[in-house]
């Protein structure tokens, strides 16, 4: 009995002890990390600002390395960058995709653009939110969601802690202004962060109730046109002071058929506002819960907050469709073109701008470029007696937006620039320069002939094709090429530039006059006046001076007895054939002639005739002299009577034709002429001495000395001589 009692006691004791241990045992912690199959996948175009989660792991698909998925910053990225392309830029993944860890951080005052891992990121002055990208491994102690929460009307997540209102970064709009649903998402996110709300036990498709807050309006940072020189457009006013911007009559229907009582009264109030606006003849646009609408006046039913962009900061993008909430009265009743302006007569140039329409520039920077071109047009003073301006947009291929004769005043050009839509594609500057050379400066397009031809190339970073050959051909056609390079390649990016030193290979001179480097698109406005001053300085537009319009050509013609009358007429025809290839006027190429025997005679000087017809007639009237052959004395005479009176900006070219050996020395007079800048070509016929021909000719002799066995073969060297003159002209140092 006693043994039984003891056994029972121990049994009860052990049972109680086990039960107590089980009761005090700590529960197991749930797993903090999810399996690979739980990693949410995001698309290439998803931006960090669209995702509410402050930290998350996601999987990027293949193919995100594309210029259309824009990235802003280096190492630390602005929140409206593509998450996946930022990960490629940072080297976390490549174009095959993969897992990444994203952490949201505070906004920065400056984001530096760079080229890394095949992705070019852009610079940005500042933005309200940033993010970091790292390897897609979970951090210890952090729980990651298996489903990401996006900032849209369908999201059920709410913030319970009020935060400081978001600041608008200098009124800048989002990089991709065409994505209107994304704008609405960012607006919703900003309001969700700013106001205290409480959850509502309703389905996900219904709205959330809010605590009463004052009706407030704010500007939308994703849609405001950038104003680099002004203060941030973050004006906040009460609803009583806010004015409704004119728009289209439209009320967006709710996404769900079940209407929650908490916002039924708000919907009714919105309807009453629409009816009241119709009664006053106003156009007012409201938006409900759908984030796909593109109207900018938003009635937020879940907060009772109206977010509206002030009229003063709104600028309609060129070509925007009518449903964006602005009045289309201006489009329906276009204003007639202004009367033709005389323009700035101190700046008579024919000007073509090559504007960069590539994807790399982005939509916001494209708008900055348009504003820059409009300001240049205004500063130039466009007019029929002053500068004329056309625009070519280039991407993969160039296309003319308007030519020189389309508009005759600055205002019409500025209006036309506002309507230009971005083409996209690469930055094929070389192809664009070839297009300009062949198609733009034509009489049919308004080219005036007497005005210098100027091309200004605006390029983001660097071209994606070769520019040297196209630029050379354009310069040889007399086109002055300027480059405005924005955000040029940094030192660590230069290995990615297809053609190193592409600016120096393209411009007319490498002395800095023809090139302007701008560190940022946001400071482009600072170079308007310097650029206008340069393109209007016609005395320095040296590319307008071609091999055919910038020389003083002096013919030194052997009239000795050995030539004979018939052959002398053949020589004169050879002189005329050469002369007719040049552009002859008192400001272009000028022609003079000396005939010699023992003596010398000035047939006509450089300033005697100013038209090609007069020069050709004067050549025809030269009479054959006959006599001995003193070539050395003739060279000295030509130097004194012709080339000493040449204009300083003219190339001095002597073309000497002789049929025999000279009675005097030719080397000393020739060397003296060379020292005075005379470029000498010698043409020998029949009994001419080769050693003398070489002594007369400028080095290298092979390119400046020719010999034919008889006078009738002189014509064969006309084209060769012109080609050598132009080759030498174009090979001059460009500095």
């Amino acid at each position: 009995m006693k043994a039984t009692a003891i056994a029972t006691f121990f049994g009860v004791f052990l049972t109680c002890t086990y039960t107590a241990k089980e009761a005090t045992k700590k529960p197991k912690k749930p797993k903090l990390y999810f399996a690979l199959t739980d990693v949410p996948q995001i698309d290439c175009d998803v931006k960090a600002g669209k995702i509410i989660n402050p930290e998350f792991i996601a999987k990027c698909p293949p193919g995100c390395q594309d210029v259309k998925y824009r990235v802003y910053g280096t190492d630390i990225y602005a929140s409206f960058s593509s998450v996946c392309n930022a990960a490629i830029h940072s080297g976390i993944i490549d174009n095959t995709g993969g897992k990444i860890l994203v952490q949201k951080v505070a906004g920065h005052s400056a984001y530096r653009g760079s080229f890394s891992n095949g992705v070019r990121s852009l610079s940005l002055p500042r933005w309200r939110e940033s993010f970091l990208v790292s390897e897609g491994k979970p951090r210890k102690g952090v729980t990651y969601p298996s489903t990401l929460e996006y900032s849209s009307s369908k999201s059920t997540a709410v913030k319970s802690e009020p935060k400081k209102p978001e600041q608008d970064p200098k009124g800048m709009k989002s990089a991709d202004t065409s994505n209107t649903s994304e704008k609405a998402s960012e607006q919703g996110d900003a309001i969700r962060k700013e106001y205290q709300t409480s959850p509502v036990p309703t389905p996900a498709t219904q709205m959330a109730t809010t605590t009463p807050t004052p009706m407030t309006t704010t500007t939308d940072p994703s849609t405001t046109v950038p104003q680099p020189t002004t203060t941030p457009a973050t004006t906040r006013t009460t609803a009583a002071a806010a004015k409704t911007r004119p728009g289209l009559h439209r009320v967006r229907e709710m996404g769900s058929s079940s209407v929650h009582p908490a916002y039924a009264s708000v919907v009714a109030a919105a309807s009453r506002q629409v009816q009241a606006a119709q009664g006053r003849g106003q156009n007012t646009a409201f938006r409900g819960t759908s984030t796909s609408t593109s109207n900018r006046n938003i009635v937020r039913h879940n907060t009772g907050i109206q977010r509206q962009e002030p009229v003063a900061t709104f600028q309609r993008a060129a070509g925007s469709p009518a449903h964006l909430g602005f009045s289309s009265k201006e489009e329906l009743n276009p204003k007639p073109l202004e009367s033709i302006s005389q323009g700035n007569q101190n700046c008579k140039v024919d000007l073509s701008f090559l504007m960069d329409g590539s994807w790399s520039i982005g939509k916001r920077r494209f708008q900055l470029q348009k504003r820059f071109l409009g300001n240049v047009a205004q500063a130039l003073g466009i007019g029929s007696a002053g500068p004329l301006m056309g625009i070519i947009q280039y991407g993969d291929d160039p296309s003319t937006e308007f030519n020189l004769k389309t508009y005759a005043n600055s205002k019409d050009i500025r209006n036309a620039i506002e309507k230009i839509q971005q083409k996209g594609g690469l930055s094929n500057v070389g192809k664009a320069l070839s297009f300009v050379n062949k198609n733009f400066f034509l009489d049919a397009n308004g080219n005036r002939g007497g005005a210098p031809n100027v091309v200004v190339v605006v390029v983001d970073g660097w071209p994606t094709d070769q520019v040297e050959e196209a630029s050379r051909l354009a310069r040889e056609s007399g086109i002055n090429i300027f480059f405005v390079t924005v955000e040029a390649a940094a030192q660590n990016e230069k290995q990615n530039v297809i053609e190193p030193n592409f600016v120096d290979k393209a411009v007319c001179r490498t002395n800095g006059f023809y090139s302007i480097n701008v560190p940022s698109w946001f400071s482009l406005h600072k170079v308007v006046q310097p650029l206008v001053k340069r393109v209007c300085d016609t005395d320095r537009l040296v590319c307008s001076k071609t091999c055919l319009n910038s020389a003083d050509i002096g013919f030194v013609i052997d009239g000795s007895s050995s030539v004979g009358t018939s052959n002398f007429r053949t020589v004169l025809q050879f002189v005329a054939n050469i002369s007719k290839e040049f552009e002859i006027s008192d400001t272009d190429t000028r022609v003079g002639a000396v005939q010699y025997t023992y003596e010398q005679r000035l047939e006509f000087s450089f300033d005697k005739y100013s038209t090609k017809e007069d020069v050709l007639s004067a050549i025809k009237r030269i009479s054959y002299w006959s006599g001995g052959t003193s070539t050395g004395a003739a060279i000295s005479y030509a130097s004194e009577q012709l080339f000493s009176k040449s204009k300083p900006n003219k190339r001095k070219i002597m073309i000497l034709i002789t049929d025999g050996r000279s009675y005097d020395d030719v080397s000393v007079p020739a060397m003296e002429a060379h020292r005075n800048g005379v470029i000498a070509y010698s043409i020998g016929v029949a009994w001419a001495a080769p050693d003398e021909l070489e002594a007369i000719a400028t080095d290298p002799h092979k390119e400046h000395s020719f010999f034919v066995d008889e006078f009738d073969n002189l014509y064969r060297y006309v084209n060769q001589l012109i080609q050598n003159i132009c080759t030498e002209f174009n090979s001059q140092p460009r500095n």
Side-chain angles (χ1 to χ4, degrees), residues 58 88 145 190 211 349 356 370 373 438 450 457 526 545 615 627 652 709 735:
I88 297 174
T211 56
V349 294
D356 192 340
K370 286 166 58 175
L373 295 178
K438 296 175 183 177
V457 181
K526 296 179 182 179
K545 297 173 173 56
V615 167
K652 295 180 282 190
D709 53 359
N735 50 37

Side-chain angles (χ1 to χ4, degrees), residues 276-509:
Q278 290 173 341
R280 293 190 300 270
Q282 297 176 345
N283 292 330
T284 307
F286 293 96
R287 179 162 68 182
T289 59
S290 172
T291 59
S292 62
T293 177
S294 55
N295 291 327
R296 296 172 188 261
N297 292 335
I298 307 169
V299 174
R300 296 284 182 179
H301 299 123
N302 59 331
T303 60
I305 306 293
Q306 183 178 0
R307 180 171 177 148
Q308 181 180 0
E309 181 182 324
V311 177
T313 63
F314 173 75
Q315 291 186 15
R316 176 186 149 204
S320 300
H323 68 267
L324 287 180
F326 58 79
S327 173
S328 58
K329 182 178 180 181
E330 182 180 346
E331 288 187 340
L332 296 175
N333 299 294
K335 294 181 180 180
L337 296 179
E338 289 189 350
S339 58
I340 296 177
S341 168
Q342 291 298 305
N344 178 11
Q345 299 182 31
N346 294 321
C347 181
K348 188 177 180 181
V349 294
D350 289 345
L351 180 65
S352 171
F353 271 89
L354 299 188
M355 66 183 305
D356 192 340
S358 63
W359 288 129
S360 69
I361 190 175
K363 290 186 179 293
R364 183 185 325 130
R365 286 161 175 77
F366 188 75
Q367 294 297 323
L368 291 174
Q369 181 180 207
K370 286 166 58 175
R371 182 181 302 168
F372 167 71
L373 295 178
N375 291 339
V376 169
Q378 186 66 38
L380 282 169
I382 303 298
S384 58
L388 295 179
M389 177 176 168
I391 288 183
I392 291 172
Q393 183 182 173
Y394 68 90
D396 291 335
D397 297 293
S399 63
T400 302
E401 298 291 346
F402 53 86
N403 60 37
L404 296 170
K405 68 177 183 180
T406 307
Y407 302 107
N409 61 73
S410 297
K411 183 177 180 181
D412 289 341
I413 285 183
R414 296 188 74 175
N415 291 336
I417 290 172
E418 280 300 312
K419 298 176 183 178
I420 295 176
Q421 300 295 310
Q422 187 175 6
K423 284 170 58 68
L426 300 174
S427 296
N428 289 334
V429 175
K431 187 179 289 188
L433 285 169
S434 295
F435 178 85
V436 169
N437 190 25
K438 296 175 183 177
N439 302 292
F440 188 83
F441 292 109
L442 305 176
D443 293 344
N445 292 334
N447 186 47
R448 291 173 288 185
N453 294 157
V454 178
V455 169
V456 179
V457 181
V458 184
V459 62
D460 175 50
W462 56 84
T464 54
D465 65 348
Q466 301 278 341
V467 303
E468 183 174 15
E469 180 65 13
S471 299
R472 182 184 65 80
L473 294 174
R475 292 195 307 269
E476 290 178 5
S477 299
I479 299 174
N480 295 274
I481 302 175
F482 287 79
F483 259 73
V484 178
T485 308
V486 189
E487 297 184 7
Q491 192 63 39
N492 63 335
E493 298 174 324
K494 289 185 177 179
Q495 71 271 15
N496 302 301
V497 179
I498 292 177
E499 191 173 28
N501 301 319
F502 65 90
V503 173
D504 286 347
K505 293 177 180 178
V507 296
C508 294
R509 293 290 183 268

Side-chain angles (χ1 to χ4, degrees), residues 640-651:
E640 180 182 344
Q641 297 297 320
L642 280 178
F643 295 109
S644 66
K645 301 172 183 177
S646 184
K647 289 185 177 181
N649 61 342
K650 299 292 184 181
R651 296 171 67 243

Side-chain angles (χ1 to χ4, degrees), residues 538-557:
T538 54
D539 290 336
R540 296 187 65 180
L541 298 182
V542 293
C543 277
S544 298
K545 297 173 173 56
T546 70
C547 60
L548 301 178
N549 69 6
S550 60
D552 281 344
I553 302 177
F555 290 95
V556 181
I557 306 167

Side-chain angles (χ1 to χ4, degrees), residues 143-161:
T143 303
Y144 294 94
S146 58
T147 303
L148 297 179
E149 193 173 6
Y150 290 83
S151 57
S152 69
S153 59
K154 294 182 180 180
S155 174
T156 58
V158 291
K159 301 284 184 181
S160 58
E161 182 181 352

Side-chain angles (χ1 to χ4, degrees), residues 111-128:
Y111 296 86
R112 180 179 60 85
S114 65
F115 189 90
S116 178
N117 299 304
V119 177
R120 176 162 177 81
S121 67
L122 303 174
S123 299
L124 189 70
R126 70 179 198 173
W127 193 245
R128 62 174 179 265

Side-chain angles (χ1 to χ4, degrees), residues 592-608:
V594 168
Q595 184 181 177
Y596 73 94
T597 56
Y598 283 126
E599 300 177 285
Q600 306 83 35
R601 184 170 73 195
L602 180 63
E603 300 293 351
F604 55 89
S605 61
F606 290 139
D607 57 2
K608 181 72 172 179

